[in-house]
Amino acid sequence: VEINVVRLEQFKTALFGIFESTRQQNLPMDDVRAHIVGVKKFSEGEMMAAIEKMTDDNKIMLASDVLYLI
């Protein structure tokens, strides 16, 4: 699944909002999934494509079902 630039920016805003509101540097993927897919209405594929893109850009890292802010 591909994600366009506009959706990627919307994802980044939503994700950084979660990190900021929880004041955490890492988040369980279940929490991210609940907010991004459930509340923000991204598909699972869009979410994973955005995570891969942000990982390539060294913004976040996914390991053991935990998303880390870099």
Side-chain angles (χ1 to χ4, degrees):
V1 173
E2 292 289 320
I3 187 164
N4 66 40
V5 174
V6 173
R7 288 294 276 171
L8 180 59
E9 287 304 315
Q10 291 171 344
F11 177 85
K12 287 179 183 180
T13 299
L15 182 63
F16 289 137
I18 301 168
F19 279 114
E20 195 172 274
S21 68
T22 60
R23 293 183 169 94
Q24 299 293 318
Q25 295 293 311
N26 56 63
L27 298 167
M29 274 303 293
D30 289 342
D31 293 352
V32 174
R33 190 173 285 110
H35 186 76
I36 297 295
V37 175
V39 176
K40 296 296 181 180
K41 305 300 182 198
F42 281 81
S43 70
E44 182 80 19
E46 281 181 310
M47 179 183 72
M48 294 312 294
I51 288 171
E52 286 179 27
K53 175 68 177 138
M54 290 180 71
T55 298
D56 291 346
D57 293 342
N58 290 321
K59 302 287 185 197
I60 58 174
M61 180 180 72
L62 178 61
S64 301
D65 218 31
V66 176
L67 198 59
Y68 296 88
L69 183 62
I70 298 175

